[in-house]
Amino acid sequence: MEAWRCVRRGYGRCVMGRGRYPMFSHHPKSLSRDWSTPWENLQRCCWNRHISSCMRWPGHYSRAPYPYFSSRHFSLNWRPPCLFESRTQFQYSNWRPDNLSQTSLIHLSSYVMSSEGDEPSSKRRKHQGTIKRNWEYICNHNKEKTKILGDKNVDPKCEDNENNFDFSVMSYNILSQDLLEDNSHLYKHCQRPVLHWSFRFPNILKEIKHFDADVLCLQEVQEDHYGTEIRPSLESLGYHCEYKMRTGRKPDGCAICFKHSKFSLISVNPVEFYRPDIPLLDRDNVGLVLLLQPKSPCAAFPVICIANTHLLYNPRRGDIKLTQLAMLLAEISSVAHQKDGSFCPIVMCGDFNSVPGSPLYSFIKEGKLNYKGLAIGKVSGQEQSSRGQRILSIPIWPPNLGISQNCVYEVQQVPKVEKTDSDLTQTELEKTEVLVTAEKLSSNLQHHFSLSSVYSHYFPDTGIPEVTTCHSRSAITVDYIFYSAEKEDVAEHPGAEVALVGGLKLLARLSLLTEQDLWTVNGLPNENNSSDHLPLLAKFRLEL
């Protein structure tokens, strides 16, 4: 213990962080019973390389990447194998201790060394660099006949003309700074400076400017940053911005921004998923639905419905996720419905916190879902766990929500009863309402849109999954751009009772990446990509 007191007396707290700095210049003869080293070697391996890191970067309050030793980090009997005996320079950049205890932690390089809960070594920094994403041009959006072309080899059939209206849509979860700080365990692989908002926002804005989408659907947009930086910056780029903050005390929300030069705003329709009168809907997620009129000097194109949302994350509450989705679809149905009974073209973006092939994802694409016997923890497919195995109730949401099993708004009606000399009592009337409601009970959900996903979610040559989000814990797809398919494809759609929907043609999409691709640049966020999600981008055509 005397040796440890010597070590602890030899270091002091860094004023601005959790690091240590040397407080004495003399050379301690021994650091423990089992090994010793000249002070210069210890200082060389633990201090010089990281002197610039001895700061507590704003926006982060967990372990920092600068080095320090203390008695809780390794035992007194620990001996670094053949390290200082040779009195050679310590090659710390590639060295990893093998004999640390399970709770050990020594910071000796720009990333955190092994400790329980840290990311596997395969996910550690390999090199800095940029990820390359190419445009995939698709003039026939039938995925079985997809034609992938190089950036410069555009199919002549994709050329614009006066009967076409082409536009691009980006969906991007930009990672709220408050949520980043509240979930710092997800970003152990990151260098601390890249997590600061002052570093992240210029990168995000640079991406937006580079891709220059006509419509932006942004999630996790923090309110204070939206007002002071995000909205003014986007307006200076020619965007009109609409924003819906989450309810309660949640500091972020969803935004839809569109180019003045491409669209006129017809209506703004926010959707709050929180309902104080319904116990099931006690979460503060929101959606936003806009109706936009294309601007074209050549022809009068129909309006386009753009929807954006961020559904509940909790993998074990599929009942809430499905209900939130039904509420969004009901609002879209109301906004996109036209006088002739058809629906205008629809683009639905967002972070749906569900993986490809899950029941929720299949419901969006197929237009129907029989959820009888389905466990609430299996709805989103995010994790395979023994938790959340309670079976979904029938119906999932109560009648007073005012949304039918077809995901449209319905008017609550009292059963019609013919008047007689003796009117029904209140009790008898309530029994009649219960019977009428029971007749409508069904485990079948439906919606009347023909929706396709911009992405196929797997690379066709290898079958390796595409990913849209990557951090220390996982790399999966949860972000999507869905769009209403062209009219000729409606007849082939597997959904039931599909209504006539104005169709969009998918022209191109920005390619996604594999998990391995992302870890070659240290995952997300990194020096060049400042969210833990990738932006999704698609180009569409509306034809007269």
Side-chain angles (χ1 to χ4, degrees):
M1 293 305 298
E2 180 62 29
W4 282 119
R5 283 194 292 271
C6 177
V7 173
R8 295 182 67 84
R9 283 198 301 269
Y11 287 89
R13 287 271 182 188
C14 177
V15 175
M16 298 185 66
R18 295 186 178 183
R20 302 290 199 272
Y21 59 90
M23 295 179 63
F24 49 84
S25 58
H26 63 279
H27 299 173
K29 299 297 183 182
S30 176
L31 293 179
S32 76
R33 292 195 299 265
D34 293 338
W35 60 280
S36 63
T37 177
W39 173 249
E40 292 89 351
N41 284 354
L42 182 61
Q43 192 178 41
R44 183 184 302 115
C45 71
C46 297
W47 174 249
N48 291 345
R49 186 180 180 187
H50 293 282
I51 190 168
S52 63
S53 297
C54 193
M55 294 182 62
R56 182 177 181 179
W57 289 94
H60 187 78
Y61 45 81
S62 66
R63 296 197 300 267
Y66 36 79
Y68 63 87
F69 287 6
S70 74
S71 58
R72 65 187 176 86
H73 289 149
F74 47 87
S75 65
L76 292 177
N77 294 319
W78 173 76
R79 176 189 298 271
C82 302
L83 181 61
F84 297 108
E85 287 85 343
S86 65
R87 307 189 68 84
T88 58
Q89 185 173 357
F90 181 23
Q91 301 298 320
Y92 51 84
S93 60
N94 294 319
W95 174 75
R96 294 180 50 147
D98 297 322
N99 300 319
L100 294 178
S101 62
Q102 190 174 26
T103 57
S104 298
L105 177 65
I106 299 182
H107 298 277
L108 293 174
S109 74
S110 60
Y111 52 76
V112 178
M113 287 290 183
S114 290
S115 67
E116 185 176 11
D118 281 359
E119 70 280 0
S121 59
S122 62
K123 295 182 179 181
R124 297 235 165 77
R125 171 178 301 283
K126 297 181 180 179
H127 66 270
Q128 297 183 16
T130 58
I131 53 178
K132 184 177 181 181
R133 301 176 64 188
N134 300 316
W135 278 104
E136 300 173 345
Y137 290 93
I138 309 164
C139 280
N140 181 351
H141 72 282
N142 185 331
K143 297 300 184 294
E144 295 180 357
K145 300 179 181 179
T146 294
K147 188 172 184 180
I148 307 299
L149 304 172
D151 283 348
K152 297 181 180 179
N153 300 321
V154 181
D155 193 317
K157 296 180 181 178
C158 288
E159 293 179 357
D160 198 4
N161 60 60
E162 62 182 13
N163 294 322
N164 300 328
F165 179 80
D166 293 353
F167 65 101
S168 56
V169 177
M170 174 189 281
S171 181
Y172 196 6
N173 183 327
I174 63 173
L175 181 57
S176 158
Q177 189 67 25
D178 281 358
L179 291 177
L180 182 156
E181 294 174 9
D182 290 344
N183 296 277
S184 59
H185 62 283
L186 299 179
Y187 312 105
K188 292 180 180 180
H189 62 285
C190 298
Q191 291 182 311
R192 301 308 174 233
V194 306
L195 298 178
H196 193 277
W197 177 249
S198 63
F199 181 91
R200 294 176 54 231
F201 178 63
N203 269 357
I204 293 170
L205 188 62
K206 181 180 178 181
E207 283 186 292
I208 291 174
K209 291 173 66 175
H210 173 72
F211 293 121
D212 195 32
D214 300 314
V215 179
L216 304 175
C217 291
L218 306 178
Q219 305 90 39
E220 289 193 26
V221 180
Q222 193 162 305
E223 183 193 25
D224 54 347
H225 294 155
Y226 174 76
T228 59
E229 297 176 83
I230 298 174
R231 180 174 180 175
S233 298
L234 294 180
E235 287 179 341
S236 69
L237 297 176
Y239 289 97
H240 173 89
C241 302
E242 294 291 339
Y243 178 70
K244 175 56 183 173
M245 184 178 169
R246 285 203 285 168
T247 52
R249 295 185 176 181
K250 306 300 182 182
D252 65 286
C254 294
I256 300 179
C257 312
F258 60 89
K259 289 281 190 70
H260 286 290
S261 59
K262 296 285 287 191
F263 298 97
S264 299
L265 180 63
I266 303 299
S267 67
V268 180
N269 309 274
V271 185
E272 294 184 356
F273 298 143
Y274 174 78
R275 287 285 296 270
D277 56 328
I278 300 177
L280 174 69
L281 296 174
D282 60 350
R283 309 305 166 96
D284 295 305
N285 306 82
V286 296
L288 186 60
V289 183
L290 265 57
L291 202 60
L292 302 179
Q293 177 66 60
K295 290 182 177 180
S296 173
C298 303
F301 289 92
V303 295
I304 299 173
C305 179
I306 306 290
N308 184 25
T309 192
H310 188 177
L311 299 185
L312 176 71
Y313 165 75
N314 192 336
R316 299 181 297 278
R317 292 308 304 268
D319 51 347
I320 299 178
K321 292 174 189 276
L322 280 173
T323 306
Q324 291 180 345
L325 176 61
M327 296 172 73
L328 180 67
L329 291 172
E331 186 65 26
I332 293 173
S333 179
S334 175
V335 171
H337 193 269
Q338 300 184 108
K339 293 180 179 179
D340 61 358
S342 64
F343 293 98
C344 69
I346 298 163
V347 179
M348 184 171 71
C349 302
D351 181 343
F352 290 82
N353 275 314
S354 302
V355 303
S358 65
L360 188 143
Y361 172 88
S362 298
F363 173 51
I364 294 174
K365 286 196 64 178
E366 298 177 7
K368 61 181 179 179
L369 173 66
N370 187 338
Y371 59 86
K372 184 177 182 180
L374 179 62
I376 62 174
K378 303 296 184 183
V379 169
S380 64
Q382 291 163 278
E383 63 180 27
Q384 300 297 323
S385 171
S386 58
R387 298 175 294 177
Q389 298 307 302
R390 178 170 59 85
I391 302 301
L392 288 168
S393 61
I394 303 175
I396 299 175
W397 56 82
N400 62 322
L401 180 60
I403 295 177
S404 73
Q405 296 287 94
N406 292 330
C407 298
V408 297
Y409 292 126
E410 62 180 6
V411 178
Q412 299 295 307
Q413 296 180 347
V414 176
K416 294 181 180 180
V417 180
E418 294 183 1
K419 293 183 178 180
T420 61
D421 293 338
S422 57
D423 291 335
L424 292 175
T425 64
Q426 182 63 31
T427 302
E428 291 172 332
L429 184 59
E430 290 175 355
K431 289 181 179 179
T432 304
E433 290 179 345
V434 170
L435 289 174
V436 172
T437 303
E439 292 175 358
K440 295 182 179 180
L441 291 181
S442 172
S443 60
N444 292 305
L445 290 181
Q446 294 183 353
H447 68 75
H448 298 316
F449 309 124
S450 174
L451 297 176
S452 297
S453 173
V454 163
Y455 292 92
S456 56
H457 314 307
Y458 297 90
F459 289 91
D461 297 335
T462 63
I464 297 175
E466 300 171 337
V467 300
T468 65
T469 181
C470 178
H471 50 66
S472 294
R473 293 291 179 88
S474 67
I476 57 175
T477 287
V478 294
D479 307 277
Y480 303 94
I481 300 177
F482 296 104
Y483 67 101
S484 51
E486 289 181 302
K487 295 177 182 178
E488 57 264 27
D489 293 333
V490 171
E492 301 176 3
H493 197 279
E497 301 180 15
V498 175
L500 183 63
V501 180
L504 293 170
K505 187 173 186 178
L506 177 62
L507 299 181
R509 65 192 176 200
L510 188 66
S511 63
L512 287 173
L513 302 167
T514 67
E515 178 180 4
Q516 184 179 4
D517 292 334
L518 290 173
W519 281 116
T520 62
V521 291
N522 201 40
L524 297 174
N526 56 52
E527 291 84 351
N528 298 293
N529 309 93
S530 286
S531 173
D532 57 350
H533 292 248
L534 292 172
L536 279 59
L537 194 60
K539 296 180 180 179
F540 296 104
R541 168 166 293 168
L542 179 61
E543 297 178 336
L544 285 179

